[in-house]
Amino acid sequence: MPLKLNKLVFARNRDREKEFGDIFNKTSRGLSYIMALSITVFFTPALIATSFLSKEAIVILANLSLSLGYLTNFAYRIYKKEVSKAELMVSSLTLAGFVVVSYLLSPTITALPLIKVLIFIHQMATAVNLFFLIKHVIVPPCKKLIENIAQTFGFDIAGRYYSKPPLTLEQDRYIIDILLMKAYGHNSYSPDFDKKELVSFNKLLEKLSEYIDKYDETILGYINNKDDIADLEKQIAQLTTKGNTDSSYAFIKKKIGFKTTKISMLQEARDIVRLAFNDPHSDATHALHFFKGIDDEQLKVGRHKVLGDGLQSLEKEIQRQKDKIASLQECLPIPRPKI
């Protein structure tokens, strides 16, 4: 088994973040989610199947309106090029599957032609609404899986699931001026303004969106990380609609702090492994704690290679974390040179 870095040794302890009300919060999210699906699947169809009064027709029309709203919103995202190829493929196939299943399960009802048409429309609308209710749960993980498979065969179809267009002077000058005043003390009409100052704001917007994707793309990520996703969406709304960066800058600085601590832990591990690598007579057993896939016997047989591979693995991870910090620092305002 090839040597791999045991990243759990350097992982941030998240117990304090999860311990308060964790079980109850997850249960509440799960129940809320199941209730929304149950009402859509069972409650409304039951009303339609048992009565043909005008109030039921109103429910059908409301259901149809909701489905049209979902479809219109999705079509608008496609028009704005906010939907990746992988997401479009997964969403289209899944939605088509829901509609087909709904059609096959649709009961044959002997009634007036108009009522039959309304019930059929309602059944299709229910399939559409059900898909969009669970879209955030099933599409991001499937999208990520398809992208990984395509990348294995040399095709890059990676794209964003959650994305927002960048801030531009043409569309967002009011907000940009607020951001510039807070960060640099001038607006976009000032002679001191440099277009490079916009880069950090858009990097910040992109980074917040990346973290939403990260939380979404795990299995049941949308449910388990719903609070974190909602918080990031709120930060994006504050940034793009009010020019408020306080919470998003705090989030970025927190992430930089976490990764700085991780680098220190990795460097400490590197020093221990390097010491064992340079001294063939030292006890290298403790160094194995930082890796997985390697046992004492392999260390005895190929000590030099094992420790050398371990050092390379640690150096690679240290550089990876430094690159992450650099990308996070790009989200902060450009430091002004001291005069």
Side-chain angles (χ1 to χ4, degrees), residues 63 148 163 220 335:
N63 198 31
N148 290 339
S163 63
L220 297 180

Side-chain angles (χ1 to χ4, degrees), residues 16-30:
R16 292 182 181 273
E17 299 174 12
K18 297 179 179 179
E19 63 183 5
F20 182 73
D22 182 63
I23 295 176
F24 298 103
N25 286 334
K26 286 187 177 180
T27 302
S28 175
R29 286 197 295 266

Side-chain angles (χ1 to χ4, degrees), residues 235-299:
Q235 291 179 33
I236 289 174
Q238 290 285 320
L239 169 67
T240 57
T241 63
K242 297 183 179 180
N244 188 344
T245 56
D246 293 343
S247 57
S248 50
Y249 281 159
F251 175 80
I252 294 297
K253 290 175 181 176
K254 179 184 72 174
K255 291 296 182 182
I256 291 175
F258 288 157
K259 297 186 187 309
T260 301
T261 299
K262 181 175 285 190
I263 288 175
S264 297
M265 294 172 66
L266 288 162
Q267 290 173 335
E268 182 182 29
R270 180 192 59 188
D271 293 340
I272 293 173
V273 176
R274 182 180 290 161
L275 182 63
F277 179 79
N278 293 330
D279 184 1
H281 302 292
S282 64
D283 182 10
T285 305
H286 180 60
L288 292 182
H289 172 66
F290 304 117
F291 309 100
K292 55 185 178 180
I294 300 296
D295 55 28
D296 293 338
E297 188 62 30
Q298 290 172 294
L299 182 63

Side-chain angles (χ1 to χ4, degrees), residues 37-177:
L37 296 183
S38 300
I39 290 172
T40 302
V41 176
F42 299 111
F43 184 67
T44 308
L47 282 177
I48 305 308
T50 55
S51 176
F52 300 122
L53 298 177
S54 59
K55 61 181 182 180
E56 277 70 42
I58 292 175
V59 175
I60 293 177
L61 294 175
N63 198 31
L64 176 61
S65 299
L66 180 60
S67 66
L68 290 175
Y70 278 132
L71 290 171
T72 303
N73 178 264
F74 188 59
Y76 179 74
R77 287 186 61 223
I78 295 174
Y79 171 73
K80 296 290 287 184
K81 298 181 179 179
E82 296 180 5
V83 178
S84 68
K85 295 177 181 177
E87 180 190 347
L88 181 59
M89 181 174 67
V90 174
S91 297
S92 300
L93 291 175
T94 308
L95 179 57
F98 272 64
V99 171
V100 170
V101 171
S102 179
Y103 174 77
L104 295 175
L105 295 179
S106 179
T108 303
I109 301 176
T110 304
L112 297 175
L114 178 60
I115 296 299
K116 291 177 69 176
V117 170
L118 286 176
I119 291 175
F120 177 78
I121 292 174
H122 166 73
Q123 198 77 11
M124 298 302 103
T126 298
V128 172
N129 292 338
L130 181 59
F131 164 73
F132 280 103
L133 275 173
I134 66 174
K135 175 177 178 287
H136 296 308
V137 177
I138 60 176
V139 172
C142 292
K143 165 187 165 293
K144 186 66 176 178
L145 177 63
I146 291 173
E147 289 174 349
N148 290 339
I149 294 174
Q151 192 171 26
T152 303
F153 291 98
F155 300 100
D156 185 10
I157 60 171
R160 306 300 304 278
Y161 179 71
Y162 183 95
S163 63
K164 291 291 182 182
L167 297 169
T168 63
L169 288 172
E170 292 75 20
Q171 299 292 329
D172 312 284
R173 188 179 289 270
Y174 285 102
I175 298 301
I176 287 173
D177 280 350

